[in-house]
Amino acid sequence: MIKYLLLVSLVIHATLANSESASKKWLTLNGQRPSVIARGGFSGLFPESSDFANQMALGTSVHDVVVLCNLQLTKDGVGICQGDIRLDNTTNIAMLFEKGSKTYKVNGQDLTGWFALDFTADQLLANVSLVQNIFSRPSAFDGMLPMSTVDDVRNSNPPAFWLNVQYDAFYTENKLSVTNYIQKATRLQGVNYISSPEIGFLKRMNGLVNKAKTKLIFVFLDKKATEPTSSQTYGSILGNLATIKKFASGIVVPKDYIWTVNTANYLDAPTSLVNDAHKLGLEVYASGFANDFTTSYNYSYDPSAEYLQFIDNSQFSVDGLITDFPPTASEAVACFAQYPDIKPTKGQALIITHNGASGVYAGSTDLAYQQGLEDGADIIDCSVQMSKDGVAFCLDSVDVTRDTTAAATFMSLSTTIPEIQQSSGIFSFDLSWSDIQALQPQLTSPFENKGGLPRNPANKNKGKFLTLAEFLELAKVKAVTGILINIENAAYLASQKGLDIVSAVNTALSNATFDKQSTQKVLIQSDDTSVLSKFQNVPAYTRVLYLKDEISDAPKTPVGEIKKYADAVTLPRFSIVPTIDGFTTATTKVVNEMHAANISVYVTVLRNEFVTLAFDYFADPTIEIATYTSGIGVDGIITEYPATASRYLRNPCSSDSMPESSYSIIPAEAGSLLKTVPEETQPPASSPTPALDVADIVDPPLPAVTKPASPPPATSPRSSALANIANVGLSLVAIVVFSSLSLM
């Protein structure tokens, strides 16, 4: 049974009644803010045009959201809402009517499948259920929601209703009249927009609609496709927009008609389409927006950035955004567009970089840190590593194979050190600083091997690595709010490599006078309590314990133990909001338990890519940020994309105290979306994550710094034959190791 009450509890986004600030001036045709058009409701989350999708769109979007229905006609002339003319792509009809497949010629192309015009409304509505046909979206609702008629959608009382007629000529050829259906069944009441890619249909409707109440919109398809009435390509029609003005008040165009994307997946200069159309009095609606589609690298996987590109540039604004994710379009329109950055308020969560803006430039480089500061980070971070000759520098990992080009040069140094990691690697302490300086940085993505989501290839090898001293100098020159220094592997470095990373950090901070000032925050982070103990006598430092393993609870005894060593903790995000099969399950008490002991909490690592986001966050990193900051109240977020965090935290929609905002970005309620899934199809419960224990916290004292033993003396030269065999063997080993690394 459909859980309507649970759905209502899920719709927690608040749409405020306050009017929008009159100071905003839009570059739309009418000067008003762009419309948000929900294609099939919230079809990015629920199956298109289902009741859930429509209700969710109304509950999470701006107050004047437009709900769009793609019209199909049944055998008995009933209008249903489905985007694909072949129902087997979006429903389970093929399982129910196995012999119902047919082949039709649609706009000159033979299509085979199950078509609405071969079934009565009763057959479809009583038997067929909807499914998601995009794999990045939740399949948990497949088979539980019936199809919607046009009247069903209209009865949900959307503020505005859009009817898109994609296949008028096809239905006419098969003795069904879309024009008659619209006239008789809807009587044009409450239909604010009627759109079609067919000129003949719009010309017929032109004399039938009340143009003051219903706008006719011409839809452009692919430029090479042929428009059925005129037999012209849509590309050629685009060159004569004046003819469209005779029968329509606006146009819908794919978004790349406006901002073209080149073969390297970067934006080119915008076309003049929007300004040309506005000069003729035509509104322009851009289509094709979805948070879970790969877009231009210019947007850094932040969907809000893409929406803003179309509505908040100095040249033009489209008049509406047609999207599968109306909440994200709503926040772009109502919150982010045309608002200048607001200064951070006292007590607001800190924005802490993860190796700088490492989603944009290779991590731990000068360019990544500079980008992080430009993007609004409060604190930039340096994970300190040591070279063989004792130089402290910034790099995410002691294994340099991922973040540098070391594999091409130093594969012979690859080794396995179980105390550090299970896989083999090339370690910084086996290279001199001059060796490391000769390497190129390497911008990598944690998702390249999973979802094919590479990061900014144009910046792949840009930037240079910084010594710790250079990093501290940059922080002073830029007058950043603060720095985070992360220290790991101190015991191994001391006992096995004769390197004192703690003293190196202490000396560098002291030389830069960070220990004698209070204007810039200094966070010393480590997963080792013995390391943190070495900094306990410096009042200027905040000590942060990094609890790498996920936990479900933080009892008083281990929290009390943390208090002996640290002022704050860094937690993995799943220790705060656990997930299962893409759904959040609950919010743990860990943050509240830490706060009760006056321990600050930072959450790590936040990223923009939609594959890392739970369904509850709507494939929108802003919603995840809002959940951890405004919803749960963490003291800081550690992110690879500080620009996304800054846009939210420096914006009126992140605060209830800004009355000029007509929309609020409300955090997700963990576990609510999962409750709407029928129990029989819910994912099986996962093994419980353990609670924090004292044994997880206290580490043994750091060993003394011990110089490594000298290498054994050289032996007598072997015969050249043996030497050649040995060299061949070494080469084969190197090849095998390199191959295994490349597959990681």
Side-chain angles (χ1 to χ4, degrees):
M1 181 179 179
I2 298 175
K3 303 180 180 179
Y4 289 100
L5 294 177
L6 286 173
L7 178 64
V8 171
S9 72
L10 176 63
V11 181
I12 58 171
H13 281 243
T15 306
L16 307 180
N18 297 337
S19 61
E20 187 175 2
S21 173
S23 63
K24 282 195 177 185
K25 294 182 180 179
W26 296 94
L27 296 178
T28 54
L29 179 63
N30 59 16
Q32 298 177 3
R33 78 177 186 185
S35 298
V36 174
I37 301 107
R39 190 195 69 86
F42 196 161
S43 54
L45 187 61
F46 296 105
E48 178 187 342
S49 291
S50 63
D51 184 57
F52 275 26
N54 293 324
Q55 293 295 337
M56 194 68 166
L58 298 177
T60 60
S61 307
V62 288
H63 69 275
D64 55 354
V65 64
V66 182
V67 175
L68 184 150
C69 159
N70 286 295
L71 176 68
Q72 308 294 343
L73 291 181
T74 65
K75 187 175 185 178
D76 47 349
V78 174
I80 60 172
C81 297
Q82 277 296 291
D84 198 316
I85 195 170
R86 291 173 292 186
L87 300 182
D88 46 306
N89 287 335
T90 55
T91 75
N92 64 353
I93 192 170
M95 299 172 59
L96 303 171
F97 299 95
E98 295 181 6
K99 297 182 180 180
S101 176
K102 288 189 178 181
T103 299
Y104 287 100
K105 192 173 289 293
V106 182
N107 295 340
Q109 180 182 3
D110 287 335
L111 297 181
T112 299
W114 281 254
F115 294 79
L117 56 73
D118 292 321
F119 301 89
T120 66
D122 285 344
Q123 285 177 304
L124 296 178
L125 299 176
N127 299 288
V128 177
S129 299
L130 300 169
V131 300
Q132 275 282 13
N133 64 343
I134 297 176
F135 295 132
S136 58
R137 299 175 182 178
S139 61
F141 306 104
D142 289 358
M144 66 176 285
L145 299 167
M147 303 173 75
S148 295
T149 65
V150 172
D151 286 340
D152 289 335
V153 178
R154 291 173 63 207
N155 290 339
S156 66
N157 297 316
F161 181 59
W162 184 310
L163 200 59
N164 182 52
V165 179
Q166 190 84 359
Y167 302 104
D168 174 69
F170 168 74
Y171 285 113
T172 300
E173 291 169 4
N174 289 278
K175 312 305 181 185
L176 288 170
S177 173
V178 174
T179 304
N180 289 344
Y181 165 76
I182 293 176
Q183 282 185 284
K184 295 177 181 179
T186 71
R187 300 184 185 278
L188 298 181
Q189 294 177 0
V191 181
N192 305 92
Y193 303 84
I194 297 176
S195 63
S196 178
E198 300 182 12
I199 292 174
F201 169 74
L202 291 175
K203 284 185 174 179
R204 288 198 306 275
M205 294 302 303
N206 192 45
L208 301 176
V209 303
N210 181 340
K211 295 180 181 178
K213 295 182 178 179
T214 304
K215 296 179 179 180
L216 296 180
I217 310 294
F218 179 63
V219 178
F220 279 87
L221 303 181
D222 184 90
K223 291 179 181 179
K224 295 180 181 179
T226 300
E227 192 278 318
T229 307
S230 66
S231 297
Q232 298 182 67
T233 65
Y234 288 96
S236 62
I237 296 173
L238 188 67
N240 193 7
L241 290 175
T243 60
I244 297 173
K245 180 62 179 173
K246 297 176 182 178
F247 58 85
S249 61
I251 58 176
V252 170
V253 296
K255 58 187 181 180
D256 61 0
Y257 271 46
I258 299 170
W259 285 97
T260 58
V261 178
N262 61 33
T263 55
N265 204 32
Y266 288 92
L267 292 178
D268 287 328
T271 67
S272 62
L273 173 60
V274 177
N275 286 328
D276 292 343
H278 283 174
K279 288 176 183 177
L280 294 169
L282 287 169
E283 294 181 324
V284 180
Y285 299 89
S287 66
F289 291 96
N291 295 4
D292 54 355
F293 292 171
T294 302
T295 56
S296 169
Y297 295 123
N298 296 78
Y299 304 129
S300 296
Y301 296 102
D302 183 349
S304 292
E306 182 179 24
Y307 291 113
L308 291 171
Q309 191 79 17
F310 287 80
I311 64 173
D312 194 23
N313 61 74
S314 60
Q315 302 172 60
F316 61 83
S317 170
V318 298
D319 300 279
L321 302 160
I322 300 177
T323 176
D324 292 3
F325 290 82
T328 306
S330 295
E331 70 189 32
V333 170
C335 299
F336 300 150
Q338 300 192 20
Y339 271 115
D341 286 347
I342 298 169
K343 292 182 178 180
T345 57
K346 187 176 181 181
Q348 197 169 46
L350 295 170
I351 301 171
I352 305 169
T353 64
H354 186 245
N355 309 306
S358 54
V360 182
Y361 286 99
S364 305
T365 61
D366 57 339
L367 296 180
Y369 291 127
Q370 290 168 16
Q371 187 69 49
L373 294 173
E374 291 173 11
D375 288 345
D378 299 304
I379 292 178
I380 56 175
D381 69 305
C382 171
S383 286
V384 181
Q385 310 301 338
M386 298 293 290
S387 67
K388 180 169 64 176
D389 46 351
V391 177
F393 67 100
C394 303
L395 193 67
D396 181 49
S397 172
V398 65
D399 179 1
V400 300
T401 53
R402 186 192 66 186
D403 298 319
T404 77
T405 54
T409 309
F410 295 106
M411 183 53 67
S412 60
L413 296 179
S414 180
T415 185
T416 301
I417 304 176
E419 298 96 316
I420 294 178
Q421 63 185 35
Q422 295 304 308
S423 58
S424 59
I426 302 169
F427 296 96
S428 67
F429 45 69
D430 290 329
L431 303 175
S432 67
W433 175 238
S434 61
D435 291 334
I436 293 166
Q437 284 181 300
L439 299 174
Q440 285 185 303
Q442 190 160 268
L443 174 58
T444 59
S445 167
F447 311 109
E448 276 184 272
N449 294 331
K450 297 179 180 179
L453 301 176
R455 291 177 173 176
N456 212 353
N459 293 345
K460 185 174 181 66
N461 300 116
K462 291 182 179 179
K464 69 171 186 175
F465 295 119
L466 301 179
T467 65
L468 175 59
E470 290 171 333
F471 170 84
L472 297 176
E473 179 62 22
L474 173 67
K476 283 189 130 351
V477 170
K478 298 293 185 179
V480 299
T481 300
I483 56 173
L484 182 148
I485 305 298
N486 184 50
I487 304 171
E488 296 183 9
N489 305 309
Y492 180 86
L493 290 171
S495 62
Q496 302 298 316
K497 296 296 176 180
L499 296 170
D500 192 343
I501 189 173
V502 173
S503 292
V505 170
N506 248 324
T507 300
L509 288 170
S510 180
N511 289 342
T513 68
F514 274 98
D515 58 339
K516 302 177 181 66
Q517 55 84 52
S518 59
T519 56
Q520 291 177 290
K521 294 179 182 290
V522 179
L523 309 181
I524 305 295
Q525 176 178 283
S526 182
D527 59 349
D528 190 328
T529 53
S530 295
V531 170
L532 297 180
S533 297
K534 298 293 184 179
F535 297 90
Q536 64 182 348
N537 295 323
V538 185
Y541 300 161
T542 297
R543 295 173 296 160
V544 183
L545 179 62
Y546 186 6
L547 297 172
K548 289 186 175 182
D549 294 331
E550 291 178 27
I551 58 174
S552 59
D553 193 18
K556 285 186 178 180
T557 300
V559 169
E561 199 66 31
I562 290 173
K563 192 67 179 172
K564 297 177 183 177
Y565 300 96
D567 312 291
V569 293
T570 292
L571 298 171
R573 54 200 181 115
F574 297 131
S575 289
I576 301 173
V577 183
T579 66
I580 182 171
D581 283 7
F583 292 91
T584 65
T585 58
T587 301
T588 69
K589 298 183 292 183
V590 173
V591 173
N592 290 336
E593 290 165 333
M594 294 292 179
H595 282 173
N598 199 29
I599 296 173
S600 298
V601 177
Y602 309 129
V603 59
T604 192
V605 175
L606 272 59
R607 300 179 171 103
N608 283 359
E609 288 88 346
F610 64 85
V611 295
T612 193
L613 300 171
F615 295 130
D616 307 66
Y617 304 136
F618 308 158
D620 183 353
T622 296
I623 301 298
E624 183 182 40
I625 293 165
T627 301
Y628 283 110
T629 56
S630 301
I632 297 171
V634 300
D635 302 281
I637 58 171
I638 298 175
T639 174
E640 295 176 345
Y641 294 96
T644 302
S646 181
R647 184 188 296 123
Y648 169 69
L649 289 168
R650 312 289 189 259
N651 191 272
C653 287
S654 66
S655 171
D656 294 333
S657 63
M658 302 297 289
E660 69 267 23
S661 174
S662 60
Y663 181 78
S664 289
I665 300 172
I666 302 299
E669 183 180 334
S672 291
L673 187 59
L674 185 59
K675 292 177 182 177
T676 67
V677 178
E679 291 184 9
E680 60 272 18
T681 59
Q682 288 196 6
S686 58
S687 301
T689 304
L692 186 65
D693 189 79
V694 172
D696 302 322
I697 299 165
V698 181
D699 295 290
L702 291 177
V705 178
T706 305
K707 292 296 181 184
S710 301
T715 58
S716 306
R718 294 175 291 175
S719 70
S720 58
L722 290 174
N724 289 336
I725 292 171
N727 288 336
V728 170
L730 181 60
S731 299
L732 291 173
V733 170
I735 291 171
V736 171
V737 172
F738 181 79
S739 299
S740 65
L741 287 172
S742 67
L743 293 173
M744 291 174 58

